[in-house]
Amino acid sequence: GAGVSQSPSNKVTEKGKDVELRCDPISGHTALYWYRQSLGQGLEFLIYFQGNSAPDKSGLPSDRFSAERTGGSVSTLTIQRTQQEDSAVYLCASSLGTWDRQYQETQYFGPGTRLLVL
Amino acid sequence: GDSVTQMEGPVTLSEEAFLTINCTYTATGYPSLFWYVQYPGEGLQLLLKATKADDKGSNKGFEATYRKETTSFHLEKGSVQVSDSAVYFCALGDNQGGKLIFGQGTELSVKP
């Protein structure tokens, strides 16, 4: 079946502009995660959704970053007033979401959106 | 907080050589442990995982054993191939919601 998809695959923007990144999880997956991969910081967690709610937003680096999920499916990560340090690959992952402390589910990753802020 | 440390790369090996990539972790409780792989031009994919102490994860000839006493999850393969060239990430799964905490990644290059 279809995997996690993300759009756009590449985005170039000017400093100070807002950007929206989209993630389509695997159908039926209730858990959705956003991560960021950058040269200086490696792979960092940003935010986690279970259904439409976000019980863990601890990784969002500033209040310029926000995310929402609608219909328990598509998620949008918005970065306002972009800065050059926001340049990175933004990764989305999804999992079944049948959370059990004893069993860690596999997260399936999308191809990422490569963001460049000039 | 929880963290993962893995050996720095790049690691360059000849085909059929033995591979070890070290990974150690710091965590409260007993997290699940993972190795993810990123092949050139592709997305992250799960290589193997272990959910409790002394579990061994294995896939595609790769193995890793969850060692609670040494807080380690070293990745091994007996005979690497050119097609194994990729970046390998060690990660732990947070017990409070499942977010992954990744190590820095180790780039492996296998020469024929």
Side-chain angles (χ1 to χ4, degrees), chain A:
Chain A
V4 178
S5 61
Q6 293 185 245
S7 60
S9 53
N10 290 281
K11 176 73 176 177
V12 181
T13 190
E14 294 179 350
K15 177 181 169 181
K17 296 285 179 73
D18 297 352
V19 296
E20 283 190 354
L21 312 179
R22 176 187 168 107
C23 172
D24 280 272
I26 293 171
S27 177
H29 281 194
T30 62
L32 186 147
Y33 304 80
W34 283 98
Y35 297 87
R36 178 168 73 171
Q37 186 173 21
S38 58
L39 277 177
Q41 302 298 322
L43 264 162
E44 309 170 277
F45 165 78
L46 296 177
I47 186 168
Y48 154 58
F49 287 92
Q50 180 60 42
N52 291 335
S53 63
D56 189 350
K57 308 179 185 179
S58 62
L60 294 177
S62 75
D63 58 8
R64 296 186 297 104
F65 287 72
S66 63
E68 65 175 12
R69 190 177 184 198
T70 55
S73 181
V74 171
S75 177
T76 303
L77 177 69
T78 301
I79 309 173
Q80 296 180 309
R81 305 181 302 282
T82 51
Q83 304 294 312
Q84 288 180 331
E85 62 262 27
D86 300 334
S87 296
V89 177
Y90 289 82
L91 297 171
C92 176
S94 70
S95 68
L96 279 170
T98 52
W99 178 245
D100 181 338
R101 275 181 174 272
Q102 305 303 315
Y103 179 72
Q104 175 81 52
E105 294 179 330
T106 297
Q107 293 182 24
Y108 297 87
F109 282 79
T113 294
R114 186 175 300 274
L115 175 66
L116 178 61
V117 182
L118 301 176

